[in-house]
Amino acid sequence: MDFSSLPSALESLPNTLGSLFTYHREAPLIFSSGLFWVLFVCFIPLYALMRRRKWQMLVFVIAFSLYFYYKCSGWFFLLLVSTSVIDWFISRAMVQIESSAGRKWLVALSVVISLSILGFFKYANFFLWNWNNMVEGNFQPLTLILPVGISFYTFQSISYIVDVYRKRIAPASTWGEYLFFLSFFPALVAGPIVRAENFLPQIRENRHANHQEIFGGLWLILVGVIKKAVIADYIAQYNDLIFASPGHYTGFESLMGIIGYTMQIYCDFSGYSDMAIGLALIMGFRLDINFNFPYKSKSLTEFWRRWHISLSTWLRDYVYIPMGGNRKGTFRTYINNFLTMLIGGLWHGAAWKFIFWGGMHGVGLIINKLFRPLTSRLDGKAWFDLLAGCITLVYVSLLWVFFRAESFNDAIIIISTIFTDFSPQCILPFIEARALWVGLMAFIIVMHYLPQSFHDRAASDFINSPWIFRLLVLLIVIQLVIEFSEADIAPFIYFQF
Amino acid sequence: MSQQSNKKHPYAWLWILLAVALVAVCLEVIPSIFNFSPKPSGIAKVLFPDKEIAVDSDSIAVDTVPPVIAHEPDTSAHTILFIGDSMLDGLSPRLAAYAAASGHTLYSVVWYSSSTEIWGKSHRLTEYIQKVSPTYIFICLGANELYVKDIEEKRTPFIREMLAEIDTIPYLWIGPPNWVEDTGINKMIADNTAKGSYFKSDGMTFERRTDGAHPTAASAIEWMDSIVRWMPEHSNHPIKMITPEQRTARPEKIFIHQPGEK
């Protein structure tokens, strides 16, 4: 740094501060950005000072969370505040009303409001587009900006209201407590979807993080940063080429693009979740694990127990079970499974490709259940586990192509090229030309398949290592991020949901 | 530092850890090891920007535009060779549309992740000049060298080598679309190229692809349009560029080279 430029830098300080309080749509504040870490370094000592006084801590964290959301989504933070006000009043009213019908009306009102807001911002244009196609109408699409993370906090809001209705939880004692839960910045914009029944008691308990949790949280953040800002963002550059020009690459290159995207979406999303869980842990809040090495799954059912766990359990508890779950016979179980996955697909985005993706996962789950009497006898046999793991991985990876490709047709072209133009002569030149891409892919695949005990041991070693060692690791990770970042950071894939 | 006190005040130790790391990164004190020079973080620039960021989506960095050079436009049909890095993915289809509308023939050579050093060392430019016999050359290079420290010392010989290979063929060098402040690549190209042969793209604002670096297809079209508008008054050898009806076209031939190729 050139210190001679310090006076002019100080002159620009008012502009800089002004920029800190201005929303830049093209540059949302995200965990892997340098600005977030500058802010977090300021946040930590204040949080440490205030955490002993619960109210101060609540107000401070809410203010930071709303600021964070403002930097991500602009004035939409007022929508979040409004949702919290409506939910809180409805939940308090539910406690005071004795009649079952009255409580039902209230829960329905809250859910309708939440889903209407979500539906308007996320699905209005999708509906108009389909309507125009059906009736050859000419409704103009609305100029809508999707508030960042609206799908996540809407689901949190619904689960809170439904749980209060079911009397599983007591409502938040104050509006501040509820707003803290709904706006909690680590999980606000891309999950995990936090459940009030797990989170509200932690606010009331106001427990303080210990050494293990604080540095365990830091470890998770570092792992998340590596996954997102180093691996996912780097391997995405090649994957984007394949998906941008379907059919322009050989089958082998397309296959690498598919495997690459399979790992990219895992690293991107689980990396974000790791950072969110780590940040919460540093603040003394325990969020449930959201990804548990999903590509180790030996069936699609197991995959959904390991992938985006907070979403799949939410869908199970608030969609699948209320529809009847597995209590209404085999056929209805299959239908319920299928419909739940369709809704899960639609949650990911307002496009037919997401519905198709969800529906095909539903079909896969049905096939999985149909064959369970046969497969349960083979479970545990090494050859079968390997075969089942491979089939699951291939199925999941192929469906990611439909999830990522611009159109159904593009997805078919990319997949069919593997069978029509594999071009094995490309393998060696590919490895030679894209050695770093291949190396990073090999690294993440190996890390993914290492046993849990290895990861636990690495975390434990980091937590208990000398301070200077931790500093060294931190510096290496930061420098790696800088080295690998071609530019401004690519947004998290799951931001759009 | 004892582990005991470390465990007693974990927030204080975490804060010190983060603060030290942040300061180290801001001050860019991480040393070069062997041949590896760490990239600057740019965090200090975010906190203390020393210039306004251009906001006009189609602006030209006026301070870098050389004085108007009164050249009669060359209306003959040219064989154009367009070489460079992955930025050609966006620029080349638009230039191809201009070429088709104006009667030129365009050959594009995309060398992914390439730099002036890679081109200068490989002498591939000479190979392509011999292969297609261009009468005009466009170059878009520099995006992969925004972070290089001591750039003048390290890269000037390669730029000079490339210009020597071009020899007397008229050319236009399109500067990188900076997404961060560079360490001197723009100045170095401007210093070494002939007057009116360098279009500085720094100072323009682009819509970027998700990688944050490459302009989107639409933005790259605007980029090429800006270059074409700039040429008649500022280029030392403006050529005929008729605005095409089609947004993009395919060059006569595209040659592709992968990163790491020699």
Side-chain angles (χ1 to χ4, degrees), chain A residues 86-87 89-95 97 99-115 157-167 318:
Chain A
I86 294 167
D87 284 351
F89 276 112
I90 289 180
S91 68
R92 298 303 300 179
M94 259 198 284
V95 176
I97 290 177
S99 88
S100 163
R103 289 166 56 78
K104 263 187 191 156
W105 274 107
L106 283 175
V107 74
L109 175 69
S110 173
V111 171
V112 165
I113 292 172
S114 293
L115 289 181
S157 141
I158 291 173
S159 67
Y160 165 76
I161 286 292
V162 172
D163 284 354
V164 171
Y165 167 74
R166 289 173 176 168
K167 298 187 177 169
Y318 301 100

Side-chain angles (χ1 to χ4, degrees), chain B residues 171-188:
Chain B
Y171 67 92
L172 176 65
W173 193 307
I174 302 164
N178 286 41
W179 52 92
V180 289
E181 195 163 327
D182 59 76
T183 53
I185 182 79
N186 273 294
K187 182 180 177 302
M188 190 194 57

Side-chain angles (χ1 to χ4, degrees), chain A residues 110-154:
Chain A
S110 173
V111 171
V112 165
I113 292 172
S114 293
L115 289 181
S116 300
I117 295 170
L118 178 65
F120 174 71
F121 283 106
K122 194 163 177 175
Y123 302 106
N125 278 332
F126 180 57
F127 174 78
L128 282 177
W129 183 84
N130 282 298
W131 181 257
N132 280 344
N133 278 350
M134 275 194 299
V135 301
E136 294 184 1
N138 58 356
F139 285 106
Q140 290 302 306
L142 306 171
T143 310
L144 292 176
I145 297 166
L146 183 66
V148 170
I150 190 171
S151 308
F152 290 93
Y153 77 70
T154 300

Side-chain angles (χ1 to χ4, degrees), chain A residues 174-235:
Chain A
T174 61
W175 172 63
E177 198 176 78
Y178 182 66
L179 182 57
F180 183 97
F181 156 70
L182 203 63
S183 66
F184 187 58
F185 74 90
L188 179 57
V189 294
I193 300 167
V194 182
R195 296 285 189 90
E197 65 177 320
N198 298 330
F199 197 77
L200 291 179
Q202 295 188 57
I203 303 175
R204 290 166 195 153
E205 198 183 340
N206 194 26
R207 58 184 295 280
H208 303 145
N210 57 30
H211 169 89
Q212 293 283 322
E213 288 167 327
I214 287 175
F215 288 99
L218 181 64
W219 170 255
L220 276 175
I221 290 167
L222 295 182
V223 170
V225 166
I226 295 257
K227 279 183 184 171
K228 160 64 188 162
V230 176
I231 297 173
D233 284 358
Y234 183 80
I235 62 177

Side-chain angles (χ1 to χ4, degrees), chain B:
Chain B
M1 282 160 217
S2 76
Q3 284 285 1
Q4 201 52 41
S5 70
N6 199 335
K7 286 182 180 174
K8 236 181 193 175
H9 305 288
Y11 276 120
W13 287 108
L14 174 71
W15 184 79
I16 296 168
L17 187 78
L18 294 175
V20 169
L22 197 64
V23 169
V25 172
C26 275
L27 298 183
E28 295 159 15
V29 294
I30 298 173
S32 298
I33 303 167
F34 304 112
N35 281 334
F36 169 74
S37 306
K39 259 189 204 173
S41 66
I43 291 179
K45 293 276 189 292
V46 172
L47 294 176
F48 303 108
D50 50 15
K51 68 169 189 181
E52 291 288 321
I53 297 165
V55 289
D56 182 357
S57 64
D58 194 14
S59 67
I60 292 170
V62 176
D63 56 334
T64 64
V65 173
V68 173
I69 301 163
H71 280 286
E72 282 301 309
D74 172 357
T75 54
S76 58
H78 281 273
T79 299
I80 301 173
L81 174 64
F82 190 9
I83 67 146
D85 53 29
S86 54
M87 294 298 164
L88 264 69
D89 283 343
L91 288 173
S92 166
R94 185 61 176 164
L95 182 57
Y98 276 106
S102 313
H104 307 308
T105 308
L106 175 68
Y107 294 90
S108 293
V109 185
V110 191
W111 193 343
Y112 290 105
S113 303
S114 64
S115 60
T116 52
E117 180 183 19
I118 289 170
W119 278 92
K121 275 183 182 170
S122 70
H123 303 295
R124 194 157 260 155
L125 183 51
T126 302
E127 287 171 30
Y128 279 105
I129 288 171
Q130 286 166 355
K131 189 182 261 179
V132 305
S133 308
T135 53
Y136 203 96
I137 295 177
F138 280 86
I139 302 163
C140 182
L141 273 176
N144 295 307
E145 293 158 290
L146 296 181
Y147 299 106
V148 178
K149 281 183 181 171
D150 307 322
I151 191 153
E152 288 208 21
E153 184 188 319
K154 287 177 183 166
R155 295 293 199 262
T156 302
F158 301 113
I159 288 204
R160 288 188 180 154
E161 170 58 34
M162 287 180 72
L163 296 176
E165 289 179 49
I166 289 171
D167 199 14
T168 56
I169 304 169
Y171 67 92
L172 176 65
W173 193 307
I174 302 164
N178 286 41
W179 52 92
V180 289
E181 195 163 327
D182 59 76
T183 53
I185 182 79
N186 273 294
K187 182 180 177 302
M188 190 194 57
I189 302 171
D191 288 348
N192 283 281
T193 47
K195 264 192 175 179
S197 298
Y198 180 50
F199 178 87
K200 189 179 179 192
S201 309
D202 183 17
M204 300 176 75
T205 303
F206 298 91
E207 247 186 80
R208 312 270 177 177
R209 285 173 10 200
T210 53
D211 62 11
H214 297 86
T216 59
S219 195
I221 286 174
E222 284 184 31
W223 186 13
M224 195 66 231
D225 288 344
S226 301
I227 297 162
V228 169
R229 281 199 301 276
W230 173 91
M231 284 179 76
E233 292 201 344
H234 302 291
S235 164
N236 62 9
H237 193 116
I239 56 172
K240 185 170 65 170
M241 284 288 190
I242 294 171
T243 307
E245 283 181 14
Q246 284 183 312
R247 281 168 67 78
T248 58
R250 279 187 67 80
E252 181 72 17
K253 192 155 188 186
I254 305 174
F255 303 92
I256 291 180
H257 297 280
Q258 297 296 342
E261 271 187 43
K262 299 289 177 204

